[in-house]
Amino acid sequence: MACVPKLSQLSRFYVAASRRPSEPLQGRAARNSPISVLIFLVRISDIVLVSPLRVATAMFVANEKKANDWLGNDMRNMRFSGNNVVSILGMVVTLLLLFASVAFGADSATPTPTPAAAPAAPAIDYGLQIDRLWVLIAGALVFFMQAGFLALEAGLVRTRAAPITAMKNIGDWMVCAICFFFIGWATMFGHTAFGYLGSDGFSLSLDVSKGWPGGVWIHFLFQLAFAGTAATIVSGALAERTGFAAYMIVSAVATALIYPVFGHWAWGNSFFPDNKTLLTNIGFLDFAGSTVVHSVGGWISFIGIIIVGPRLGRFGPRGEVRPMNSNSIAMSALGVLILWLAWWGFNGGSTLALNDQVGSIINNTNLAAAMGGIGSLLHCAAFQRKRDITAKFLSGILGGLVGITAGCNLVSPANSLVIGFTSGMLSNIATELLLKWRLDDPVGAVPVHLFCGIWGTLCVGLFGDVSQFPNSHTRMDQIVVQLIGIGTCGLWTATTACIMFLVLKQMGLRVSPEEELEGYDIGGVVEQHAETVADDHVIVEKAGGYNLISMTKFLTMPAKERDRLMTSGTVRFIKGGKVLSPEEALSGIKPRGHLLVLEGMHVGRRIPIVANITKLGKTGENSAVINSTNDGRCSLQALGESNKAATVNGQPVPADGVPLRNGDIIELLDTRLQFVK
């Protein structure tokens, strides 16, 4: 420390160096200012260029006489002979010291009276600042989850849908940032109004007198990242067939209303412990959001895929699942790794302090993720014949992460292994269950976030440390409370999401069939990635959008309703992988009144009829003309015990079928028919 000069010594050096040779040192006090330093720099610039290292050395030794000698007489006769590197080093040191002097000012004694000492600054709570820094870093990791979800979803959807899927992930964050700032934060964390909603802090106009803590902006950013996660879950579930504008509305409603309202019920006492909210009052526990974040996003996704319907061609007429190739499994794997890392901040940062719990929480999170992947792999190989095993493997890892989120602070490492393993298996089971229900989730958002979120929340009661349960709950008490919280989340989120999607469906929730089949961007522009789909759907256009009706449902609806749809001009058909009007679909056929066309989809297989059914002239309400491309080689066969499903040219259809020829007239008595080639 002896070799490092005080600021007063540096100042005296500047004064000495800047005076004229004939000027006495008594005047140096007038030069002890930042301005004198600038004058000094101009006056000795040539000297600095000649020997910067010696000038810097004089500064550090603070030898006033030596500096005067060097800068006064001796330097006039010196010539540059030093090394370039040494010269540059000296210049850097000189400039750094100059900036330090300008920034801090000279502090040597001056003739002016010394002002009264300023009051001492308050002591800095370094522990608190470190805690806030940790929350900020954790929030940045949670924000990074947006990149993980983007890569995951863009990799799992088909190639033509990858660009718009990426744009939706960026768009929902923008919408979330605005909505949560103005409305969501206050609704979730403000002083409670009757235990249901926050009442202050809108637009973060926080009244310190009401008890809002310092550092609230850091906590806002952390919670904003959580809100963004809940919103972006939905984008994957509705991928490939939902419009950009409609999805932005979904994100806005989710982050301004659905998520913060339930968040207030579960976490509303985070800043104000005296907030008695709906679920905190009974002791509901969800440490980092298996239900608050993930189940909320999962419920919105679940209702969304029911209302918006499957992608065109995802399911056959009998419910068989048709494979759809992913864009890039490698990209999805990268997304999973990003999410895995970001989850360390998601769970570890929920302590809101860098305390002793952080390490164990992150370790439990990591173990559950690893076991989730193992559980999904083993279960899929043993019980699901390795169907979609790669995608299920990735979903299993995420399922383990979601499952551990609620109780990562209350369970042991051994229990975290169990939670992760069972979550991975549950993700597989839920994936197959959705397919059985003919629900199309392109990225597995519902199995991972809804099913595993429910399971993880329940695991708090099953595996958590009883001594940490609130209100002196026993294990069974806590399990019941957890079930109440899960049910409350489902009731609130499903109800509000259903209303939202039904309204959006009337406005235009889904993109046009052409855009869905060929690809689209934010502006709805059709791109050049056309793919064909099977001819098994009827499209009924509506104001602002359309309904997708399976051919089976269309065949079995009342004849009058079919007639109304056909005569309204709002019905179109998928034929040959293209969307056509009735006129285009029936081109080349001479119609007599309204026409029924039966077409086989797969040669050599028994398949349901693909048809446009309505009455034909005077022959009867359910009569139609048959068009057969293989004249004489097709037959119509009735299903079930009765053969009275239809008549051909007025004759009943025998059990073994009847040959069909162009121009044959069929009267449909029962629409449970099959077209046989």
Side-chain angles (χ1 to χ4, degrees):
M1 295 296 294
C3 64
V4 179
K6 296 180 179 179
L7 191 58
S8 60
Q9 293 174 314
L10 295 179
S11 300
R12 287 197 296 272
F13 162 73
Y14 283 131
V15 172
S18 61
R19 74 182 181 90
R20 292 184 294 274
S22 59
E23 182 181 17
L25 287 176
Q26 285 82 353
R28 64 190 179 186
R31 298 180 177 275
N32 191 14
S33 68
I35 295 178
S36 68
V37 173
L38 296 176
I39 297 173
F40 156 73
L41 180 63
V42 174
R43 187 173 293 176
I44 68 165
S45 60
D46 57 331
I47 300 175
V48 173
L49 293 174
V50 173
S51 185
L53 182 58
R54 296 188 67 187
V55 174
T57 304
M59 290 181 180
F60 278 98
V61 300
N63 190 321
E64 206 169 276
K65 181 178 184 305
K66 198 166 188 177
N68 276 308
D69 291 340
W70 285 355
L71 295 171
N73 301 316
D74 296 345
M75 289 295 284
R76 298 174 184 173
N77 300 320
M78 294 183 66
R79 298 290 184 269
F80 176 77
S81 60
N83 185 282
N84 286 338
V85 175
V86 175
S87 300
I88 294 172
L89 178 62
M91 293 173 62
V92 170
V93 172
T94 303
L95 292 175
L96 288 176
L97 291 171
L98 170 64
F99 293 151
S101 177
V102 172
F104 295 104
D107 62 348
S108 61
T110 65
T112 58
T114 303
I124 298 176
D125 187 344
Y126 289 104
L128 177 61
Q129 299 306 318
I130 290 174
D131 289 343
R132 290 175 177 173
L133 177 62
W134 166 239
V135 173
L136 185 61
I137 293 172
L141 285 173
V142 180
F143 175 36
F144 196 41
M145 293 179 79
Q146 293 289 132
F149 280 118
L150 189 156
L152 173 71
E153 295 171 12
L156 288 176
V157 299
R158 288 175 289 180
T159 301
R160 66 169 182 259
I164 189 62
T165 301
M167 294 304 102
K168 287 179 180 178
N169 275 268
I170 296 174
D172 64 32
W173 173 259
M174 295 189 303
V175 171
C176 171
I178 300 301
C179 292
F180 197 70
F181 172 78
F182 282 105
I183 303 173
W185 165 269
T187 302
M188 189 166 180
F189 294 109
H191 287 87
T192 189
F194 310 107
Y196 294 100
L197 296 171
S199 60
D200 62 340
F202 292 95
S203 304
L204 253 66
S205 54
L206 308 178
D207 188 349
V208 178
S209 65
K210 292 185 177 181
W212 284 97
V216 70
W217 286 104
I218 291 176
H219 291 288
F220 165 76
L221 292 172
F222 183 69
Q223 293 298 335
L224 170 63
F226 273 55
T229 299
T232 202
I233 290 169
V234 186
S235 66
L238 303 182
E240 299 197 36
R241 70 266 202 208
T242 309
F244 183 83
Y247 175 66
M248 292 301 101
I249 295 175
V250 171
S251 298
V253 175
T255 54
L257 177 66
I258 300 176
Y259 168 73
V261 168
F262 183 77
H264 185 75
W265 298 347
W267 290 347
N269 61 352
S270 297
F271 288 95
F272 304 110
D274 57 341
N275 270 1
K276 303 299 181 182
T277 65
L278 192 64
L279 294 178
T280 60
N281 218 20
I282 64 174
F284 175 71
L285 295 177
D286 185 2
F287 178 69
S290 286
T291 287
V292 177
V293 177
H294 296 282
S295 286
V296 166
W299 278 112
I300 298 173
S301 301
F302 184 62
I303 299 301
I305 63 176
I306 292 174
I307 293 178
V308 76
R311 291 169 289 177
L312 294 176
R314 177 56 168 160
F315 299 104
R318 292 185 178 179
E320 66 270 22
V321 180
R322 290 176 175 149
M324 291 186 169
N325 295 328
S326 298
N327 174 44
S328 172
I329 289 295
M331 182 184 296
S332 297
L334 174 62
V336 169
L337 286 176
I338 292 173
L339 290 169
W340 195 333
L341 170 63
W343 231 286
W344 292 14
F346 195 95
N347 289 354
S350 294
T351 57
L352 303 182
L354 191 60
N355 56 30
D356 294 338
Q357 278 192 307
V358 172
S360 63
I361 287 172
I362 294 177
N363 181 63
N364 288 341
T365 301
N366 196 59
L367 291 175
M371 288 304 292
I374 293 172
S376 63
L377 274 178
L378 296 179
H379 178 267
C380 186
F383 299 102
Q384 296 180 340
R385 300 180 181 179
K386 300 182 180 180
R387 289 189 303 272
D388 298 325
I389 190 169
T390 303
K392 288 177 179 175
F393 167 57
L394 298 178
S395 294
I397 294 171
L398 298 179
L401 289 166
V402 172
I404 195 62
T405 295
C408 55
N409 64 323
L410 296 177
V411 301
S412 66
N415 286 332
S416 68
L417 293 173
V418 175
I419 294 172
F421 191 85
T422 53
S423 296
M425 294 192 299
L426 179 61
S427 175
N428 288 356
I429 295 170
T431 299
E432 293 295 320
L433 190 61
L434 289 185
L435 294 177
K436 184 177 181 180
W437 293 341
R438 298 187 71 177
L439 296 177
D440 185 17
D441 183 353
V443 304
V446 173
V448 168
H449 298 281
L450 177 56
F451 284 82
C452 294
I454 291 173
W455 170 241
T457 306
L458 188 60
C459 284
V460 174
L462 294 173
F463 301 108
D465 183 356
V466 178
S467 65
Q468 302 298 316
F469 290 165
N471 303 338
S472 301
H473 284 168
T474 64
R475 190 171 299 281
M476 184 55 64
D477 292 337
Q478 194 62 45
I479 290 174
V480 172
V481 169
Q482 297 301 104
L483 288 172
I484 292 173
I486 292 168
T488 304
C489 176
L491 182 62
W492 161 254
T493 309
T495 301
T496 51
C498 185
I499 296 171
M500 173 184 66
F501 281 117
L502 288 175
V503 172
L504 284 175
K505 189 170 185 179
Q506 299 303 314
M507 299 168 57
L509 175 62
R510 203 167 168 143
V511 297
S512 70
E514 290 85 357
E515 290 171 328
E516 184 176 343
L517 291 174
E518 300 182 19
Y520 63 100
D521 61 13
I522 294 177
V525 178
V526 177
E527 298 178 353
Q528 66 275 11
H529 302 295
E531 294 182 16
T532 59
V533 295
D535 305 333
D536 62 345
H537 288 93
V538 176
I539 297 165
V540 180
E541 295 179 334
K542 302 184 70 175
Y546 71 95
N547 287 335
L548 186 67
I549 301 177
S550 68
M551 188 57 63
T552 302
K553 183 177 180 180
F554 189 74
L555 286 170
T556 56
M557 71 170 51
K560 289 185 178 180
E561 177 65 13
R562 287 196 304 268
D563 290 345
R564 185 189 67 78
L565 292 175
M566 289 299 300
T567 56
S568 67
T570 61
V571 175
R572 291 191 288 169
F573 304 90
I574 300 176
K575 179 181 179 182
K578 297 181 179 180
V579 180
L580 304 174
S581 66
E583 293 76 15
E584 292 171 323
L586 305 177
S587 61
I589 303 173
K590 195 178 217 181
R592 295 193 307 168
H594 297 290
L595 194 64
L596 167 63
V597 177
L598 304 181
E599 295 177 323
M601 293 182 291
H602 299 282
V603 175
R605 294 181 57 190
R606 289 162 55 95
I607 57 176
I609 295 172
V610 178
N612 155 20
I613 303 177
T614 185
K615 64 183 178 180
L616 174 65
K618 299 178 180 179
T619 59
E621 187 177 72
N622 290 332
S623 299
V625 171
I626 300 304
N627 175 56
S628 172
T629 55
N630 299 305
D631 192 18
R633 297 173 54 193
C634 301
S635 64
L636 189 68
Q637 189 172 18
L639 297 179
E641 298 178 357
S642 173
N643 293 332
K644 299 179 180 179
T647 62
V648 177
N649 297 326
Q651 300 298 320
V653 178
D656 58 350
V658 61
L660 301 178
R661 300 180 183 276
N662 289 339
D664 285 349
I665 296 179
I666 291 183
E667 183 177 1
L668 298 177
L669 307 176
D670 186 335
T671 55
R672 293 177 301 145
L673 298 173
Q674 290 211 342
F675 191 51
V676 181
K677 277 192 177 182

